[in-house]
Amino acid sequence: MKSFTYERARTPAEAAASVAKIPGAKFLAGGTNLLDLMKLEIETPTHLVDVQDIGLDTIEDTAEGGLRIGALVSNTALASDKRVRRDYGVLSRAIVAGASGQLRNKATTAGNLLQRTRCSYFYDTNMACNKRQPGSGCAAIQGFSRQLAVIGTSDSCIATYPGDMAIALRVLDATIGTVKPDGATRTIPMADFHRLPGDTPQIDNVLERGELITHVDLPRPIGGQHFYKKVRDRASYAFALVSVAAVIQPDGKMRAAFGGMAPKPWRVEAAEAGLHEDRAAAMETIFAGARPTEENAFKIPLAQRALASVVAQTRS
Amino acid sequence: MNGKGELAVSRRGVIVGGTSAVALASLPATGQERVPAKAPAAIPVKFEVNGKPVELTLDTRTTLLDALREHLKLTGTKKGCDHGQCGACTVIVNGQRINSCLSLAVQHQGDKVKTIEGLGTPEKLHPMQAAFIKHDGYQCGYCTPGQICSAVAVLDEIRAGVPSHVQDDITARPSVNADELRERMSGNICRCGAYSNIAEAILETAGAKA
Amino acid sequence: MEFNAPADTNLFDTAKVVGKSTPRIDGPLKTTGTAPYAYERHDVVANQAYGYILGAAIAKGRITAMDVSQALAAPGVITVVTSPDTDVPGKSSMNNARLFGGSEVTHYHQAIACVVAETFEQARAAASLIRTQYDREKGRFDFPALAPDAPLARGRGDKPDQARLGDFDGAFAAAPVKLDATYTTPDESHAMMEPHATIAAWEGDRLTLWTSNQMVAWGKKSMGEALGIDPENIRLDSPYIGGGFGGKLFIRADVLVAALAARAAKRPVKIALQRPLIANNTTHRHATIQRIRIGADKEGKITAIAHENWSGNLNGEDGENGTYQTPILYAGANRLTSNYIATLDLPEGNAMRAPGEAPGHLALEVAMDELAEKLGLDPIELRIRNEPKTVPATPEKQFSDRNLVRCLREGADRFGWSQRKAEPGTVRDGQWLVGMGVAAGYRGAPTMKSGARIRLDGSGKVIVETDMTDIGTGSYTIIAQTAAETMGVPLDRVQVTLGDSRFPASSGSGGQWGAASSTAGVYAACVNLRRAIGEKLGFNGDEAVFADSQIRAGDRVIDLAEAGTMSADGEITFGKFKREYDVGTYAAHFAEVAVNAYTGEARIRRMLAVCDAGRILNPLSARSQVIGAMVMAAGAALMEELVVDKRFGLFVNHDLAGYEVPVHADITQQDVLFLDTLDSVISPMKAKGVGELGICGPGAAIANAIFNATGVRVREYPITLDKYFERLPVIA
């Protein structure tokens, strides 16, 4: 781990200004992913701005009938919230399907959105990785890719977004609120937050330098049955091979977003209408253009079966 | 796995095998060249460990785990992986269990930290420690302090109504049963495989039947 | 004491302490975090500096240049020791890969430098400032491609490792029912929770190593060889070991580099291998390819059996021989076993819990299940029909004690085997397909000479000192039980000190020999002490009764405390008579597994092991050994695999997030039953170890349960869902 200086910001604006001002500075929230990567010098901030004292740690009702989740609400607190459990069950379920109890106590809502890929080659600094070291190549494309993305990839990167919470936020049409160093705020739909790799896989999301996530907004509850099906090799404490966040209405209409498939939560709204009529055809549309490797091609039929498993539960 | 031998070319034509990997291996780990820091940034840190106030001046890079083990010589908290992948470093901070390896000591100004040493001693065991002994919920002993800290906190989490992955009804209050404990304890790896004994020890401590 | 004939009736047959379920005497320390492991011994020597090892970035080649100037200039750095600039005089005869020294790189993450600094953070940061240039060479990384041309391994007496009995080819060709199947098992990592760690300190030419090592005497000898110094100048101390599973049988880079770095830094140095380094830097279980052919008559009597095994290793050294159990388990007049070894440039393969047998059972015991299916026979019945009278491959050899059929029958009753549906894919529970599987298990029960010292402190307290180790096996407690029984004192009057090379050399912990050998060594030392007490106080120590902290000799009753301060060494050695026998342990393993019909997720519902291992010294900790092995077997069956990148020659998933081992949620109900058997050929204790028996078979039982649940057979381990979910029966 490279040496760095440390400060605690008192307000969101102060935090954003600090990170914008100091070259190589980064926000530090829970630290569960950042410190992991700093130990391996995959992340090498020169300065950390600890945001634990800036507030943003509550969940409030919104005027629109939804919820505003503070950026620093812990995963545990978010999953435990009665309103979330009642009205946004898919979100609670996704969170408790991820990581471990210890990590969820420390990990924050904003930090979870920003977690980086778990690709083995990203994690090994001796290996070529365009996400870690732009221009070095991608050792994963013809290497160990079983866990990696099948769609939304590029010739320079096939990394997967590894999280669970974001898959549920995507299916719920959540939006992300931020503040920029100049004090300006903006709202980013979940759909637009994570970037596809293209030629610049080192950039995971659309945040600008010093831009701080302040909250995540959930729109009004949409009812229906909520599911988060996570398929993995071991029964817990493992990243998804494939996951499905689904909300299914009594008439069979559904929304579905997929994890473990792409560099971002994967949802194709245009195909969703077909999911309860001709699921196979709709799934084909959702994953049209997929470019799996030999090792991870199984994910596409697995995603279909995972969704089928969820649909079967609505009947039982 | 492709079986093409030692040279591989990515779709973009960048050679990632052979010589470029050699070049990469000899480069700095990241693209950014930086002047080595002159002196480690040190910072005063105050928190409470097992009820006692402590004051340290620490390199900002020092994790809570290393502050405990190397500076306070509280070595009951173990380093198994240092990357949040095993749970051996579990401690209870302000009533919640965390991986002390993935937390900087400076993040814990003013916090109340409880470690295995604060739960009980060989002469005066915590009921969870006694139950682990009775049910042989350990073998090599290295993951054990983390398992015990986690177990104590898990029972509090269930009491507080924190939901888990194995609940059929996510809105319901969780109960203490073997499936719940197994899911909630899954962040604590025991390679010796004492899992079923650990579950029995926790169940007994919670006053529940297996 | 030489054990040169089967044991007669002795004090252990009327034992009060040995054989009773006993909580571990080291439990209060381990559960309170006060048992000291290697890296955390702040108290043993002052002024400890921190070492951090840098691993090679290539798998094969040479280091052509190394620039350590930036590292040396970094804050807090005391010194940097580099492999090219270090002349390591020797190499331990027990290591295959060279641990340190020289410019040659023979495997990925080989230790090539060590930074010593005032703090851990400084050492780690400086290590990344070292710039290394390599001349990379082409390596042999593709085991499946190399296996077909691999030669036979060298077996006993350097002869090709192949054994034949009768005419396999003829008998197989003539058999009315034939099975010919090939199974593969992957490279696996020990993944013990405590990383390899050492504190090294020099005092003149004397070296002390506080380390984590299963075999203290081997470690001392090996360090003498590597450093070219008299082993008598080396002390190893390893009282608590955070898991080994074979990965800490031999010295590794942590201990050698700590010694070299401490010499260079002129102060004590402590090193723990960072987790991401361990999989490639240390040893692993080798991948295997195993072909099994079995010919049987229509009643299921095996007439021909062949088990051929391929594995690979650095320098063509010892591989993973999956055939070990095959000459022993089942009858059959015509037999062939062959063991081939390819030369690879991957990291060193070496012993991991039940080397050979663990993957061997994953093949043989699934082959038996497949044969039973072909025959339309219950798999338990098939095994019973092939129960041999003497050792099948060496019929002149007797079994010392063998109760496999009892294991199978009693296990079937306890597990509810009669509820199993013979036709696969016919039991449903919601979305889950449910099946049961069985496998037999065999693991040899070797013994090794083992010594101990027993002291009396004058107050009637008994102190045991031996370099024996406790790697989680429960050595502390069974040794205390043995001394308490033999010296006639309550358990709490026995103190056990382990792992220090200044004490008499023991068997150490490995190969399932530790429990049987080390307790027999303690018994031998106790017998010597009883005789010495008798000489001192004037009675015959062999005839006196030691009980209740008293000695009854003829009419005399003497308090043990009256013997004063005394000490005796003793050692058990094992005579040649054992060669007439195969001394082994047996088990029947059962598993019930549910497979999600949509996704193929496999979840174990319950497991049972019925074990035949002679006297069980401490049923509480022996049961733990078995359930722990069952967990590791479940990992091997369902998830564990070090993934080889055949381009670059490394295990890619080299941390505990990438290399998945079972977690709590994977393991539900586990049950263990020990048969009440005694084996008088093993040792005076009539007791055999179980720590490796427990991993021989459960993985196959799980595989067979998955077949029974789904009708799909996967022969390529681990059985992950991607290998079969598309073949699952379609459900509406």
Side-chain angles (χ1 to χ4, degrees), chain B:
Chain B
M1 196 67 51
N2 77 81
K4 281 194 178 163
E6 80 286 359
L7 260 187
V9 180
S10 79
R11 291 180 206 167
R12 213 171 89 180
V14 175
I15 295 172
V16 297
T19 51
S20 87
V22 176
L24 184 58
S26 61
L27 276 174
T30 61
Q32 304 161 263
E33 260 301 359
R34 293 165 30 140
V35 182
K38 278 158 204 79
I43 218 165
V45 183
K46 280 192 202 179
F47 47 77
E48 192 182 295
V49 180
N50 300 327
K52 291 186 197 121
V54 298
E55 277 191 64
L56 296 164
T57 300
L58 293 173
D59 187 322
T60 51
R61 294 170 292 185
T62 309
T63 59
L64 177 59
L65 174 61
D66 286 327
L68 293 169
R69 280 171 66 81
E70 305 303 326
H71 295 267
L72 299 171
K73 301 187 171 41
L74 289 170
T75 54
T77 308
K78 304 302 183 192
K79 187 184 280 190
C81 71
D82 214 15
H83 287 276
Q85 301 163 355
C86 79
C89 66
T90 303
V91 298
I92 301 168
V93 176
N94 302 336
Q96 288 195 314
R97 58 183 173 144
I98 65 165
N99 296 117
S100 61
C101 75
L102 287 187
S103 212
L104 295 170
V106 296
Q107 288 175 273
H108 293 283
Q109 301 280 10
D111 282 354
K112 288 182 167 48
V113 180
K114 183 166 266 194
T115 71
I116 189 72
E117 290 92 345
L119 286 178
T121 63
E123 295 72 35
K124 198 176 173 204
L125 297 166
H126 184 281
M128 190 67 79
Q129 292 168 321
F132 268 61
I133 294 172
K134 179 180 167 190
H135 290 277
D136 213 37
Y138 59 100
Q139 292 184 40
C140 80
Y142 199 76
C143 74
T144 310
Q147 300 276 358
I148 291 172
C149 285
S150 213
V152 168
V154 158
L155 294 183
D156 286 342
E157 284 170 17
I158 293 174
R159 253 174 247 128
V162 174
S164 95
H165 173 60
V166 294
Q167 276 176 247
D168 283 336
D169 176 1
I170 198 79
T171 63
R173 279 196 76 76
S175 58
V176 178
N177 60 57
D179 282 348
E180 281 287 350
L181 295 177
R182 286 178 176 122
E183 163 58 25
R184 291 167 190 269
M185 290 296 295
S186 284
N188 290 84
I189 290 175
C190 172
R191 185 57 160 161
C192 296
Y195 294 134
S196 79
N197 290 351
I198 292 171
E200 283 169 25
I202 304 173
L203 281 170
E204 181 177 291
T205 309
K209 287 239 166 88

Side-chain angles (χ1 to χ4, degrees), chain C residues 223-303:
Chain C
M223 283 299 288
E225 288 169 347
L227 295 171
I229 64 175
D230 183 350
E232 289 317 303
N233 284 341
I234 299 171
R235 177 185 164 216
L236 250 78
D237 189 32
S238 191
Y240 291 93
I241 297 155
F245 313 111
K248 294 175 181 169
L249 283 170
F250 314 106
I251 60 165
R252 301 300 320 166
D254 60 303
V255 57
L256 178 59
V257 175
L260 295 164
R263 191 154 65 186
K266 299 187 174 60
R267 62 189 267 196
V269 169
K270 65 176 191 175
I271 294 176
L273 297 185
Q274 60 272 30
R275 181 61 63 178
L277 200 72
I278 291 177
N280 286 283
N281 177 273
T282 70
T283 60
H284 63 278
R285 189 197 295 285
H286 330 53
T288 70
I289 298 168
Q290 301 178 55
R291 181 187 186 196
I292 294 180
R293 285 172 287 167
I294 310 177
D297 68 19
K298 288 187 174 153
E299 281 68 53
K301 285 252 181 215
I302 294 172
T303 54

Side-chain angles (χ1 to χ4, degrees), chain A residues 36 39 41 93 142 237 295, chain B residues 2 9 30 83-84 101 168:
Chain A
D36 172 33
K39 289 177 185 193
E41 298 197 5
R93 288 202 171 279
Q142 294 187 32
Y237 199 22
E295 283 189 1
Chain B
N2 77 81
V9 180
T30 61
H83 287 276
C101 75
D168 283 336

Side-chain angles (χ1 to χ4, degrees), chain C residues 58 67 91 105 206 224 253 309 328 348 368 496 632 645 670 680 687 690:
Chain C
I58 65 165
D67 177 358
K91 179 180 155 188
V105 174
R206 302 182 75 83
N309 178 83
I328 318 265
E348 174 179 345
M368 287 297 283
V496 180
M632 202 177 273
D645 187 313
Q670 290 184 310
S680 56
V690 294

Side-chain angles (χ1 to χ4, degrees), chain C residues 164-174 303-305 333-336:
Chain C
R164 292 176 186 275
L165 184 72
D167 169 20
F168 169 78
D169 292 329
F172 184 70
T303 54
I305 181 165
N334 302 286
R335 317 179 68 94
L336 166 69

Side-chain angles (χ1 to χ4, degrees), chain C residues 611-674:
Chain C
C611 301
D612 166 30
R615 170 172 287 124
I616 300 302
L617 297 164
N618 180 359
L620 181 65
S621 58
R623 181 182 172 280
S624 293
Q625 282 284 287
V626 176
I627 64 167
M630 289 155 78
V631 171
M632 202 177 273
L638 296 178
M639 63 189 81
E640 290 183 38
E641 177 177 14
L642 284 169
V643 176
V644 180
D645 187 313
K646 293 170 188 168
R647 303 164 303 168
F648 304 122
L650 74 149
F651 300 129
V652 192
N653 51 338
H654 49 66
D655 61 23
L656 290 175
Y659 184 82
E660 289 185 12
V661 301
V663 295
H664 275 274
D666 291 300
I667 303 301
T668 53
Q669 191 202 336
Q670 290 184 310
D671 191 12
V672 180
L673 186 66
F674 292 112

